[in-house]
């Protein structure tokens, strides 16, 4: 599992790359990476990324809309920007986030065979009310 400083660096670098950009599409070719389908990841399409925050070892892709994307990279997850077509048969591909410009999409991939990395679309109302089980069970933040 990536350690806390590594997750913090991923959040900062992702914020620098994504902040202010609109999400054109969100595809989850690795269906086992989808923690929940309620709400579906497609609810993030059209929203603008405001930041990528970290809570413990989880990442929150924050938007200007009513929904966010909760990401857990687990042991072998990582984010890359890579030009070229997305191969739907790529077994390591978990999430593909296309932006409204012509830049390469953000690809969240998982190295190794465990395939435990997951994502989940959540509502801002549930986040504010503390009703996200993955976040509610966490203790005090270690990095503050």
């Amino acid at each position: 599992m990536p350690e806390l400083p590594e997750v913090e660096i991923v959040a900062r670098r992702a914020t620098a790359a994504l902040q202010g950009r609109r999400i054109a599409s969100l595809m989850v070719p690795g269906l086992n990476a989808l923690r929940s389908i309620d709400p579906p990841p497609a609810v993030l399409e059209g929203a603008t990324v405001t930041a990528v925050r970290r809570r413990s070892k989880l990442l929150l892709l924050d938007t200007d809309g009513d929904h966010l994307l909760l990401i857990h990279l687990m042991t072998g997850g990582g984010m890359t920007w890579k030009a070229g077509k997305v191969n739907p048969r790529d077994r390591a591909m978990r999430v593909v986030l296309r932006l409204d410009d012509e830049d390469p999409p953000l690809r969240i991939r998982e190295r190794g065979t465990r395939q435990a990395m997951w994502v989940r679309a959540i509502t801002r109302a549930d986040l504010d009310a503390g009703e996200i089980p993955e976040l509610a069970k966490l203790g005090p933040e270690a990095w503050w």
Side-chain angles (χ1 to χ4, degrees):
M1 177 175 294
E3 296 301 325
L4 192 64
E6 293 168 299
V7 178
E8 179 68 24
I9 290 169
V10 169
R12 291 179 185 188
R13 293 183 77 186
T15 294
L18 297 174
Q19 191 171 36
R21 298 172 73 186
R22 191 178 65 80
I23 298 170
S25 69
L26 180 66
M27 183 174 71
V28 185
L31 288 179
N32 59 340
L34 197 54
R35 172 72 49 109
S36 172
I37 59 169
D38 184 28
V43 297
L44 289 134
E45 293 175 4
T48 300
V49 177
T50 58
V52 178
R53 299 182 282 153
R54 180 197 54 77
R55 176 67 171 99
S56 183
K57 291 185 181 181
L58 300 171
L59 296 170
L60 281 164
L61 188 140
D62 203 349
T63 69
D64 62 353
D66 294 332
H67 295 87
L68 299 86
L69 188 66
L70 185 61
I71 305 166
H72 197 323
L73 296 175
M74 296 302 276
T75 304
M79 297 181 179
T80 60
W81 282 263
K82 183 179 175 185
K85 292 185 176 184
V86 174
N87 181 357
R89 293 183 182 190
D90 182 354
R91 295 174 47 102
M93 188 72 59
R94 296 288 162 253
V95 178
V96 179
L97 181 75
R98 292 191 187 280
L99 304 165
D100 61 347
D101 50 27
E102 295 300 318
D103 281 350
L106 168 66
R107 300 171 191 217
I108 301 176
R109 304 189 54 171
E110 186 170 13
R111 298 172 299 278
T113 58
R114 190 156 175 247
Q115 299 184 0
M117 180 255 151
W118 56 265
V119 297
R120 177 180 174 205
I122 59 174
T123 65
R124 188 172 306 283
D126 285 348
L127 178 65
D128 294 342
E131 296 182 8
I132 307 298
E134 295 89 352
L135 297 174
K137 67 183 178 182
L138 297 175
E141 184 58 47
W143 195 289
W144 303 117

